[in-house]
Amino acid sequence: MGGRNITVVIDRLRNLSRTDENGTTLWNFTIGVSKYLNETGYSTNFTFKVFVFEPGENDSVVLGNRSIRNLTVTYIVDNDINFTEVIREARTETVILVINFPGVGFHAVALDDYNTAPNPDGTHTISIMDTRFGRVVNVSLDDSLGTSLIYPTNETAALWHMISFSPR
């Protein structure tokens, strides 16, 4: 986004999302991203979608639209976010994945790149900016495990939500 230093962007998002030692909620994170788009002047030129895991609802149901300053956020049910859907959004949009580490909690990472060719084990390699490492790391996205990310450290995190925003 406009050649901004990723560390500065992450720090600003952390503040706008009211992140503390316990993390933040999906709603506060959404507000933080919206505020960031507003304060940088991008809000009037962007669409913003949040794909949410909502087992009681059918896929593709629009749960609603929320206006946050100049930006409309659309919430869409997607109970089975998979590699195909991630790259569909990534082709034209910035994608943030919200993952859940068992016993630890939720964590947001930004999709940096992906490889469309599957690995021999059927997984796909994607590159994500992960603030835990302070850099881009390659992880395996495994749709056979209910869509999980497998880190080089052998940690596994479940993919729960996907946030995408793009120029109109």
Side-chain angles (χ1 to χ4, degrees):
M1 281 193 188
R4 298 184 192 288
N5 178 309
I6 192 70
T7 304
V8 173
V9 173
I10 289 169
D11 285 342
R12 187 67 187 131
L13 285 172
R14 183 179 298 122
N15 291 332
L16 292 171
S17 300
R18 298 189 314 206
T19 304
D20 60 20
E21 62 278 354
N22 298 314
T24 190
T25 64
L26 179 64
W27 175 243
N28 282 346
F29 184 72
T30 303
I31 289 172
V33 171
S34 300
K35 286 179 177 178
Y36 179 78
L37 292 173
N38 272 296
E39 74 180 26
T40 56
Y42 290 117
S43 62
T44 56
N45 300 319
F46 269 77
T47 60
F48 192 156
K49 296 181 281 188
V50 179
F51 296 87
V52 296
F53 180 75
E54 194 67 50
E57 296 285 344
N58 294 324
D59 281 356
S60 302
V61 168
V62 174
L63 293 177
N65 295 302
R66 287 232 165 118
S67 290
I68 302 172
R69 295 190 185 173
N70 299 322
L71 190 64
T72 299
V73 181
T74 304
Y75 292 85
I76 304 164
V77 174
D78 193 336
N79 291 319
D80 185 29
I81 299 170
N82 58 40
F83 178 74
T84 302
E85 293 171 347
V86 170
I87 63 168
R88 176 197 67 218
E89 294 298 311
R91 284 189 179 112
T92 58
E93 306 192 20
T94 298
V95 172
I96 296 172
L97 303 174
V98 180
I99 57 179
N100 185 17
F101 285 101
V104 177
F106 292 96
H107 182 59
V109 298
L111 183 66
D112 182 63
D113 201 3
Y114 56 87
N115 187 346
T116 57
N119 298 321
D121 63 0
T123 64
H124 287 87
T125 299
I126 64 172
S127 301
I128 57 173
M129 174 58 195
D130 190 327
T131 56
R132 291 183 327 139
F133 298 98
R135 61 181 168 82
V136 173
V137 294
N138 290 330
V139 297
S140 297
L141 184 92
D142 189 345
D143 287 337
S144 71
L145 294 175
T147 311
S148 294
L149 301 183
I150 304 167
Y151 278 74
T153 58
N154 288 325
E155 293 175 284
T156 301
L159 177 56
W160 277 68
H161 307 292
M162 176 171 57
I163 299 170
S164 65
F165 46 94
S166 67
R168 289 184 189 150

